[in-house]
């Protein structure tokens, strides 16, 4: 008998969740000195599996698992999948290096056979991995079932929103309609083309709908549509602030916050005082003036309070992803800042 798999589902998965494979060779697992050899392939570009793996690992049969072997390759995969793939402000971006093809090959050996395999190498299925993750309730080995990679059922913006994105499955969406404007996915089978997106403000402006409540309609390849309404809130007197974060699908989407009071600054300074003794013999020389102070090592922090305004119940999952995200970017004054969430209460 050949090696059999319990493996990842074909499709698109998040490498920040376990990528577990179980293999079994019923005819060889009990033979003396038997072990499994896992070859891990992680690559970009075409769907053709490379000749050389990026990692090779061996596992003995699990005594308590009826001779099976288990391997979680998520830590290997996340070394390659990027979080900085997005050029902020890009109108119609591709996933680029934010997604990699992943596949493993497993063969069986024993100490008596040396370098000759006693179980012929068998390939797993091929998946596309992003830096996304699955919630526990989704279960282990859970592929992204959505064609539009957001958990938002509505999108709240203001006229001062700087930037926001929506991403979709290239093979699951045939086109996107916004008013009289249509966005058509770029065709192709490369890893960089499998997940595509668009910047919402740019798309609405092109359609002549910026500032107007409207619908973004995803026309699905299998039939039917998915509609996400866009609702414009009134900006406060203190302006709006945009945040981009890597969501659980491994793509960037945004959140617009309204400012609720003017930013304030906290400044820390240290003073250095020059010596009173200015002569070579360390005698005082008051005639040159009083001792001077010089400020240095100045550190300032800008603080602001921002609000989500009223949001629907469906935003609970969306907000959780913002707080748990491994990559958050704050857009402020035309500059993008890296952000860490330190308090998630």
């Amino acid at each position: 008998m050949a090696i059999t798999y319990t493996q990842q589902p074909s499709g698109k998965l998040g490498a920040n969740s376990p990528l577990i494979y179980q293999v079994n060779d019923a005819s060889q697992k009990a033979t003396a000195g038997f072990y499994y050899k896992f070859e891990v392939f992680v690559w970009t570009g075409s769907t053709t599996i490379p000749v050389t793996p990026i990692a090779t690992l061996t596992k003995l049969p699990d005594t308590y698992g009826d001779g099976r072997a288990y391997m979680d390759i998520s830590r290997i995969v996340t070394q390659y999948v990027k979080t900085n793939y997005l050029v902020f402000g890009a109108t119609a971006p591709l996933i680029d290096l934010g997604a990699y093809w992943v596949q493993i090959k497993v063969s069986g050996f024993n100490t008596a056979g040396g370098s000759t395999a006693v179980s012929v190498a068998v390939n797993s299925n091929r998946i596309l991995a992003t830096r996304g993750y699955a919630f526990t309730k989704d279960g282990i080995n859970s592929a992204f079932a959505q064609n539009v990679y957001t958990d938002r059922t509505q999108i709240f913006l203001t006229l001062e929103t700087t930037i926001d994105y929506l991403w979709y499955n290239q093979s699951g969406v045939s086109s996107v309609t916004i008013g009289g404007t249509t966005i058509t996915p770029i065709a192709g089978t490369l890893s960089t083309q499998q997940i595509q997106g668009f910047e919402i403000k740019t798309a609405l402006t092109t359609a002549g709908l910026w500032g107007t409540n409207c619908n973004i309609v995803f026309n699905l390849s299998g039939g039917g549509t998915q509609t996400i309404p866009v609702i414009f809130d009134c900006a406060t007197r203190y302006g709006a602030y945009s945040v981009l974060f890597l969501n659980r699908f491994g793509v960037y989407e945004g959140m617009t916050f309204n400012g609720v009071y003017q930013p304030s600054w906290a400044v820390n300074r240290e003073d250095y005082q020059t010596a009173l003794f200015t002569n070579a013999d360390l005698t005082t020389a008051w005639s040159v003036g009083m001792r001077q102070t010089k400020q240095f090592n100045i550190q300032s922090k800008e603080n602001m309070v921002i609000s989500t305004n009223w949001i629907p119940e469906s935003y609970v999952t969306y907000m959780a992803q913002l707080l748990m995200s491994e990559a958050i970017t704050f857009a402020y004054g035309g500059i993008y800042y890296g952000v860490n969430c330190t308090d998630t209460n």
Side-chain angles (χ1 to χ4, degrees):
M1 294 180 64
I3 289 175
T4 59
Y5 279 95
T6 301
Q7 60 185 326
Q8 296 297 309
S10 297
K12 300 172 177 65
L13 295 89
N16 281 340
S17 289
L19 298 178
I20 299 173
Y21 293 81
Q22 173 188 277
V23 296
N24 181 38
D25 188 330
S27 63
Q28 295 288 341
K29 61 189 178 184
T31 60
F34 181 78
Y35 63 92
Y36 299 95
K37 183 175 80 170
F38 288 77
E39 295 177 284
V40 182
F41 298 85
V42 182
W43 77 99
T44 60
S46 73
T47 57
T48 302
I49 188 172
V51 175
T52 305
I54 54 94
T56 300
L57 307 98
T58 60
K59 292 286 294 272
L60 295 174
D62 189 335
T63 303
Y64 303 101
D66 192 25
R68 295 171 173 82
Y70 307 87
M71 181 68 69
D72 181 357
I73 64 170
S74 60
R75 296 298 185 187
I76 297 174
V77 176
T78 52
Q79 294 180 55
Y80 294 87
V81 183
K82 311 302 182 191
T83 60
N84 61 346
Y85 63 84
L86 177 62
V87 178
F88 297 133
T91 302
L94 303 176
I95 192 70
D96 195 41
L97 298 181
Y100 275 67
W101 296 120
V102 176
Q103 194 165 352
I104 69 169
K105 181 185 295 184
V106 180
S107 51
F109 293 79
N110 62 30
T111 52
S115 59
T116 302
V118 295
S119 301
V120 177
V122 178
N123 288 339
S124 71
N125 57 8
R126 184 184 63 251
I127 63 174
L128 187 78
T130 71
R131 285 289 281 261
Y133 58 91
F135 288 112
T136 303
K137 65 183 180 182
D138 296 328
I140 299 175
N141 294 12
S142 176
F144 301 151
Q146 293 86 335
N147 281 309
V148 182
Y149 296 131
T150 181
D151 284 314
R152 288 187 283 183
T153 56
Q154 297 168 295
I155 295 176
F156 294 92
L157 307 174
T158 77
L159 288 175
E160 296 185 15
T161 294
T162 303
I163 192 168
D164 203 336
Y165 282 93
L166 279 176
W167 299 76
Y168 54 89
N169 177 5
Q170 175 241 41
S171 61
V173 173
S174 59
S175 64
V176 184
T177 303
I178 306 174
T181 301
T182 299
I183 299 172
T184 303
I186 298 170
T189 59
L190 301 179
S191 60
T192 57
Q193 299 167 329
Q194 299 307 296
I195 298 177
Q196 302 183 22
F198 57 90
E199 201 280 306
I200 297 174
K201 181 176 181 179
T202 302
L204 293 181
T205 301
T206 301
L209 295 174
W210 179 248
T212 304
N213 293 349
C214 59
N215 290 326
I216 298 176
V217 181
F218 293 86
N219 302 299
L220 306 180
S221 302
T225 60
Q226 179 177 341
T227 300
I228 301 180
V230 177
I231 300 170
F232 279 85
D233 285 330
C234 293
T236 69
R237 59 180 293 189
Y238 301 118
Y241 303 89
S242 297
V243 170
L244 289 177
F245 65 94
L246 201 67
N247 67 13
R248 73 185 182 103
F249 304 104
V251 295
Y252 284 95
E253 64 179 334
M255 181 75 182
T256 295
F257 295 92
N258 260 330
V260 295
Y261 81 84
Q262 289 280 16
S264 61
W265 288 265
V267 181
N268 294 324
R269 294 187 177 92
E270 293 184 14
D271 292 338
Y272 168 75
Q273 295 187 337
T274 58
L276 286 171
F277 308 101
T278 59
N279 294 335
D281 59 0
L282 297 183
T283 58
T284 58
W286 293 100
S287 60
V288 300
M290 296 296 292
R291 63 193 296 176
Q292 303 296 308
T293 61
K294 179 180 180 181
Q295 294 180 340
F296 73 106
N297 194 25
I298 298 177
Q299 182 184 48
S300 62
K301 294 182 180 179
E302 184 174 353
N303 304 301
M304 67 184 70
V305 174
I306 50 180
S307 171
T308 60
N309 294 333
W310 295 104
I311 55 176
E313 191 71 20
S314 60
Y315 259 48
V316 172
T317 298
Y318 172 62
M319 291 296 295
Q321 293 172 54
L322 169 60
L323 297 177
M324 294 188 295
S325 178
E326 64 173 314
I328 305 174
T329 300
F330 190 73
Y332 179 53
I335 302 175
Y336 298 94
Y337 300 90
V339 175
N340 291 322
C341 281
T342 58
D343 186 352
T344 58
N345 292 324

